[in-house]
Amino acid sequence: MTNNILKRTLSFACGMLISMVCAGTAAAAEAPAMNTPAKAPVKVILDTDMVELFDDGIAMMMLQNDPGIDLLGVVTVTGNSWANDGMAYLVKQLSVMKTQKPQPVLAIGEQYPDRRGGGFGRDILKKELASYGDVMEGYIGAQETDNPKSWKDAYKKHYGVSAPDVKIREDGVNYLIEMAHKYPHQIKLVAIGPTTNIARAVQKDPEVAALFDEVIYMGGAFWVKGNAHENAEFNIWLDPESTRVAYRAPFDNQTFVALDVTDKTIMDHDRFNKIRSHIKNPELLKMFNESFFAKRFDADKDGKFSWFVWDVIAAAITIDPSLILSTRHAYIDCVDQPGASYGRTVPYMKDEAPEGARSASIVQEIDQDRFWKMLYSYLEKF
Ligand SMILES: [Ca+2]
C-alpha cells in the first residue's frame, strides 16, 4: 500500500494515542556453540505492485539486502501501479541500490485483476469508493493513469531515458508455479500487492499452494475498518474474486500483515525525519524527497500529518519473525459479491467458518521499537 488514507491519517494524527510496545529484554540467545552449521538463507519470492521506495520498493531492498534471505525472484502485479510500471520501478531501484547479491529473476505478472463482479474501469472504481465510504480521497491506484504498453515504455515515461537491457520474464504466474515445484516446501511467498497472480497460479496448478513453505500477505482488515472503502483494504478491494481463490488455496501456513497491525505502525514527523536522515544513497534520497508523502510531511508546518507503513512490515517479519509479539488465529474468507462489502475480509471461528475457509495467523502487534530501528539501519545500507 502506498499513497492513500489521507482522511484517516489525519484523524489518527489528531486523536490517537500511539501505544509503543516496549522492546523488552528479549532474551538474547546464548552464543552459538562452535561448529554450529550456518543456516541456509531463506528462499523468498516477492509478489508486488511495485512503487518507488515506500512501501514496496523498501520491502524489496530489505529482502535483497539481507544476508539471511535468498530473494529468488520478484513478480509484479497490478495494484497501486500497473504491472508494467511496477517492473520499471523495480529495474530502476535494483540499478540504484547497493547489493552484493545476484539480481533476482524479474517477472511481470497479471496486468488486470479478475474483478468480474465489479469491473475495473476507472469510473466504476471511483463510484464504488464514493458509494461505500471512501477513506482515501478517491484514490484508485494503477487506474489513476493509463496502462503502459510495456515495461520499457513505462521506464522511458518515468525516467526519461531508454530502459537498460535487462532480462525480464513476461509470464510471472508460470514463474511462481515453476519455482514452487523446483523448491518444494522451501519458499516463502511474500505477497504485498493484490492476490491476482496467486489466484491464477493455483487455478492453473492446484498443487502449487501446498508446495510453498508459507505465504505472507500484506492485505486485509480483519477486526478493523478498511482503507479503500470502509469495508475493504486496498489490495483486497482491487481483486476480491482472486482473494477468495487465494485464501482457499491449501497453503500450509498463511500469515497476514493486515491493517490490524499496520494501523498501529505510524510514521509520525519524528520517524519521517529519522528515515530521511538514514538514507545515504543520493539517488534514493532524491526519490524519497519527491515522493507524495514526503511532500505532505514537508508542507505540514503544524506537525500533525502522519503516515503508515504496510509492505515494509511484511518484509521485516520475513527477515525476523521474532518481531511479531502477538497474533490472532481465525478461519478467513473474502466477500466477492459486489456491494458495500465487496472485498471485505472476514475472520471466523472454526465451527462457524464457511466451507473452504482456511486457518490463518493474523499479526496483531509487532515490536515497534525494534521494527523502526531495523528499518533505519537498512536504509543506511541501500
Ligand atoms: Ca504493495
Side-chain angles (χ1 to χ4, degrees), residues 64-101:
Q64 173 65 4
N65 190 286
D66 190 273
I69 300 290
D70 179 6
L71 183 61
L72 298 174
V74 184
V75 184
T76 62
V77 66
T78 290
N80 276 298
S81 55
W82 292 102
N84 284 326
D85 279 321
M87 184 52 70
Y89 297 137
L90 178 58
V91 168
K92 177 68 176 178
Q93 291 175 101
L94 279 166
S95 74
V96 169
M97 75 172 287
K98 291 190 206 108
T99 176
Q100 306 299 319
K101 294 193 212 166

Side-chain angles (χ1 to χ4, degrees), residues 1-2 47-51 55-56 80 192-194 218 235 311:
M1 282 292 311
T2 184
D47 185 344
T48 165
D49 52 343
M50 180 59 67
V51 296
D55 237 6
D56 300 71
N80 276 298
I192 58 175
M218 192 283 124
N235 283 346
D311 304 329

